[in-house]
Amino acid sequence: MSVLPPIRRSLIVPLDPAAAFDLFARRISSWWPLAARSAGASPAVSCAIEERVGGRVYERGSDGSETLWGTVLAWEPPGRLVITWHPGRAASEAQEVEVLFLALGAHTRVELEHRGWERVPKDAAALRARFEGGWPSLLARFEALASGEPMHEVTGPGCQVGR
C-alpha cells in the first residue's frame, strides 16, 4: 500500500488568533455549508465542535438526529485544534485534521493539515481526492466570513456522503 500525503491548505484572515479560532471552531455552523456538505440522512440544520478533548464533532439533522464527524484530540485555543475526521464513515477509518492559528500582526495564518489516509482500508485515494477538492471551497467560506465578505455557494467535489 502506498502512503498518501497529507492535504495541506493555508490562508490568512484579518482576525487575531483568538477570533480566528473562535470562528473556525466555536462558530463552525456559521460558515460550514450544511446543505452541500453533510453526512447525515436527514438534512443538516447545524454542526458543532464540543470544546474539550474527547468532545464530539457532529451535525444535527432537521429530525433531531446527530451524525458524528469526529472527536476532538486537542483543544488548545487560540493556537491549535486537532480532530479525528470520518463524516459518514466508521470511526476506525478516521483521519486527523489539525488546524493551527498563527499570529501575523493583526492577522492570522490558518494552516490546515488533513492526514492519516492509511486508516482508510478501501478507496483511500478516491476519498483523499474528494477532500482535496472540497477543502478549498470550505476554507474560502471561512475566509470570506472572517473578512466580512459574502460567502459563495459550494459546488464541485467534496465530502458530502449522506445523500
Side-chain angles (χ1 to χ4, degrees), residues 55-128:
R56 298 174 306 147
V57 182
Y58 66 98
E59 72 180 60
R60 180 167 286 125
S62 59
D63 63 358
S65 63
E66 293 181 350
T67 301
L68 188 66
W69 291 356
T71 303
V72 177
L73 299 176
W75 180 267
E76 301 169 7
R80 181 172 175 253
L81 172 68
V82 183
I83 59 176
T84 64
W85 192 247
H86 58 90
R89 301 179 71 86
S92 61
E93 298 183 17
Q95 307 92 58
E96 289 182 2
V97 174
E98 180 173 18
V99 188
L100 301 175
F101 302 85
L102 308 166
L104 289 175
H107 294 76
T108 298
R109 180 178 179 89
V110 179
E111 296 182 354
L112 179 139
E113 180 176 283
H114 188 163
R115 61 184 177 243
W117 302 103
E118 66 279 358
R119 295 182 193 115
V120 180
K122 184 178 175 189
D123 299 327
L127 182 65
R128 184 190 179 284

Side-chain angles (χ1 to χ4, degrees), residues 16-33:
D16 64 58
F21 184 99
D22 181 69
L23 179 60
F24 191 95
R26 292 184 175 110
R27 296 174 45 212
I28 188 171
S29 202
S30 67
W31 59 270
W32 192 272

Side-chain angles (χ1 to χ4, degrees), residues 122-143:
K122 184 178 175 189
D123 299 327
L127 182 65
R128 184 190 179 284
R130 280 181 29 212
F131 280 104
E132 186 168 39
W135 280 118
S137 61
L138 295 170
L139 293 174
R141 288 177 57 87
F142 167 76
E143 182 178 26

